Amino acid sequence: MSKRILVCLVGLPASGKSTLCSAVKKQQTIYSIEHICYDKHISTVDHASNPSAWNKARQNLNQKIVNMVSTSAENTHKNTVFLLDDNFYYRGMRKEIFHIAQRHSCVFGQIVFRVSKELAISSNKGREDTIVTEETIQKMSNVLEYPSEAWEKHVLHLQELEVFTESTLAARIDKVISFLGYLCEQAAEEDPAEELRRKDADREKSLNDKVQQLELILRKIISQKIKDDRRAGSKIPYSVYSEAKSLFLEEIKTESDCFIEQPNSNESVSLRFSKFFDQALVNHTKSEG
């Protein structure tokens, strides 16, 4: 089954993100690549003057990405890679994409462009389109949050290039394609709700297994106790033993995972069973009286 991979491109403006995305998409044929440039979709909205509209535009674009991810599920021939071409300078921006990956069973990765603000400012001046202000780059450089959280586990760091040539670009393309191959081998992110359901199911199975083990131990204990009591001349009915067993198991089912997971010897179970047997015997005596 083909995989869907969401890759956030992290870095300052003019750090080479769009150039690399276009080159990778053009030169490789292994994957079905969707290059989504955020600037082309939300560049008409100014964040400084209208942050609310800017955030809304990002939300709309992220929803379009969700729709594209859902549609790509029908493609069973190639792995689909979504290169999300933005600055993603806040971790929260990337976390939104990570949650999309979780909800739609995608692999999540990041490519980080480690470029100094000085080089970004210099490169920005030579751009033909989408030129941002030097102040914007300065501010972004000060707040840029590099991947460091546990969920940011698949990351490719691209260091700053002293000289940008066709050979250095080719080397970067090879690194990215190799990284995409690595991502294809990784498991898709798991939906927290699904993970919780799986953990609950695993715990329930563990509990049931534990109870079954205890029942086997209890049968041996009860059998031996009946023999001992009869040798001593006791005429305790079997219903007392049965009630004690039921009381024991009911309490076990409501106890913490700590007890459920720890091993239980015949001796420890026997000691605990004695308490419930005494209780069942008292209940029987009262009912007889």
Side-chain angles (χ1 to χ4, degrees), residues 5-11 17 20 81-84 86-98 101 107-114 144-158 175-176 179-180 182-183 186 189:
I5 303 165
L6 299 179
V7 182
C8 289
L9 274 65
V10 183
K17 299 185 298 295
L20 185 59
V81 177
F82 295 86
L83 294 177
L84 307 183
D86 187 37
N87 306 118
F88 286 109
Y89 50 93
Y90 284 136
R91 184 170 290 108
M93 296 174 172
R94 307 192 296 268
K95 194 68 174 286
E96 291 177 6
I97 304 302
F98 175 72
V107 180
F108 175 77
Q110 300 177 70
I111 299 176
V112 179
F113 291 72
R114 295 272 187 169
L144 199 158
E145 299 172 328
Y146 287 111
S148 62
E149 299 292 328
W151 54 272
E152 301 181 290
K153 54 184 178 292
H154 306 311
V155 184
L156 171 65
H157 291 273
L158 296 177
K175 284 185 178 180
V176 171
F179 180 60
L180 296 181
Y182 159 79
L183 291 177
Q186 307 309 307
E189 302 299 338

Side-chain angles (χ1 to χ4, degrees), residues 251-284:
E251 178 165 303
I252 291 301
K253 291 177 181 178
T254 59
E255 283 193 351
S256 66
D257 291 344
C258 181
F259 177 80
I260 296 302
E261 292 175 1
Q262 70 182 8
N264 292 280
S265 64
N266 286 30
E267 182 180 359
S268 65
V269 174
S270 181
L271 288 172
R272 294 197 59 174
F273 176 74
S274 296
K275 179 185 73 171
F276 294 101
F277 178 79
D278 292 342
Q279 181 181 338
L281 187 57
V282 168
N283 293 342
H284 171 71

Side-chain angles (χ1 to χ4, degrees), residues 13-29:
S15 57
K17 299 185 298 295
S18 298
T19 300
L20 185 59
C21 282
S22 298
V24 169
K25 182 174 182 178
K26 181 179 179 181
Q27 294 191 26
Q28 70 78 43
T29 58

Side-chain angles (χ1 to χ4, degrees), residues 201-263:
D202 289 345
R203 184 190 177 281
E204 183 68 22
K205 183 179 183 303
S206 175
L207 174 59
N208 290 336
D209 290 345
K210 192 68 177 180
V211 169
Q212 288 177 5
Q213 292 173 18
L214 288 173
E215 283 191 279
L216 293 174
I217 295 174
L218 283 173
R219 287 176 187 173
K220 295 179 180 179
I221 291 173
I222 292 172
S223 178
Q224 186 60 49
K225 185 166 181 57
I226 289 174
K227 290 178 181 178
D228 293 343
D229 289 344
R230 286 178 178 174
R231 288 195 193 101
S234 174
K235 295 182 179 181
I236 300 172
Y238 183 78
S239 60
V240 174
Y241 301 97
S242 180
E243 182 183 353
K245 174 184 173 184
S246 297
L247 290 171
F248 189 136
L249 293 176
E250 280 303 313
E251 178 165 303
I252 291 301
K253 291 177 181 178
T254 59
E255 283 193 351
S256 66
D257 291 344
C258 181
F259 177 80
I260 296 302
E261 292 175 1
Q262 70 182 8

Side-chain angles (χ1 to χ4, degrees), residues 20-259:
L20 185 59
C21 282
S22 298
V24 169
K25 182 174 182 178
K26 181 179 179 181
Q27 294 191 26
Q28 70 78 43
T29 58
I30 303 173
Y31 312 105
S32 174
I33 290 187
E34 297 288 348
H35 175 200
I36 302 170
C37 182
Y38 275 59
D39 283 343
K40 292 182 178 179
H41 291 271
I42 61 177
S43 60
T44 57
V45 183
D46 182 55
H47 177 262
S49 61
N50 197 342
S52 178
W54 185 82
N55 286 328
K56 182 64 176 177
R58 283 189 71 90
Q59 291 174 7
N60 290 339
L61 179 54
N62 284 345
Q63 184 56 51
K64 288 182 180 179
I65 293 171
V66 169
N67 296 339
M68 293 175 69
V69 167
S70 299
T71 303
S72 69
E74 301 172 2
N75 179 10
T76 59
H77 304 295
K78 288 184 178 181
N79 293 322
T80 304
V81 177
F82 295 86
L83 294 177
L84 307 183
D85 183 0
D86 187 37
N87 306 118
F88 286 109
Y89 50 93
Y90 284 136
R91 184 170 290 108
M93 296 174 172
R94 307 192 296 268
K95 194 68 174 286
E96 291 177 6
I97 304 302
F98 175 72
H99 286 322
I100 293 174
Q102 286 183 309
R103 291 193 297 270
H104 296 273
S105 299
C106 301
V107 180
F108 175 77
Q110 300 177 70
I111 299 176
V112 179
F113 291 72
R114 295 272 187 169
V115 174
S116 66
K117 61 184 177 182
E118 290 78 16
L119 180 58
I121 290 171
S122 175
S123 299
N124 182 61
K125 293 177 181 177
R127 298 170 84 180
E128 297 180 357
D129 58 355
T130 324
I131 298 177
V132 299
T133 65
E134 183 173 327
E135 181 184 9
T136 297
I137 296 177
Q138 291 275 9
K139 288 181 177 179
M140 202 176 291
S141 175
N142 293 334
V143 300
L144 199 158
E145 299 172 328
Y146 287 111
S148 62
E149 299 292 328
W151 54 272
E152 301 181 290
K153 54 184 178 292
H154 306 311
V155 184
L156 171 65
H157 291 273
L158 296 177
Q159 301 302 323
E160 181 178 307
L161 292 174
E162 294 183 4
V163 180
F164 193 86
T165 64
E166 289 187 8
S167 61
T168 56
L169 175 59
R172 283 203 158 185
I173 292 172
D174 289 342
K175 284 185 178 180
V176 171
I177 292 177
S178 177
F179 180 60
L180 296 181
Y182 159 79
L183 291 177
C184 286
E185 296 174 355
Q186 307 309 307
E189 302 299 338
E190 190 168 14
D191 188 335
E194 182 60 35
E195 183 178 6
L196 183 60
R197 286 192 290 270
R198 180 179 56 77
K199 287 183 178 179
D200 286 343
D202 289 345
R203 184 190 177 281
E204 183 68 22
K205 183 179 183 303
S206 175
L207 174 59
N208 290 336
D209 290 345
K210 192 68 177 180
V211 169
Q212 288 177 5
Q213 292 173 18
L214 288 173
E215 283 191 279
L216 293 174
I217 295 174
L218 283 173
R219 287 176 187 173
K220 295 179 180 179
I221 291 173
I222 292 172
S223 178
Q224 186 60 49
K225 185 166 181 57
I226 289 174
K227 290 178 181 178
D228 293 343
D229 289 344
R230 286 178 178 174
R231 288 195 193 101
S234 174
K235 295 182 179 181
I236 300 172
Y238 183 78
S239 60
V240 174
Y241 301 97
S242 180
E243 182 183 353
K245 174 184 173 184
S246 297
L247 290 171
F248 189 136
L249 293 176
E250 280 303 313
E251 178 165 303
I252 291 301
K253 291 177 181 178
T254 59
E255 283 193 351
S256 66
D257 291 344
C258 181
F259 177 80

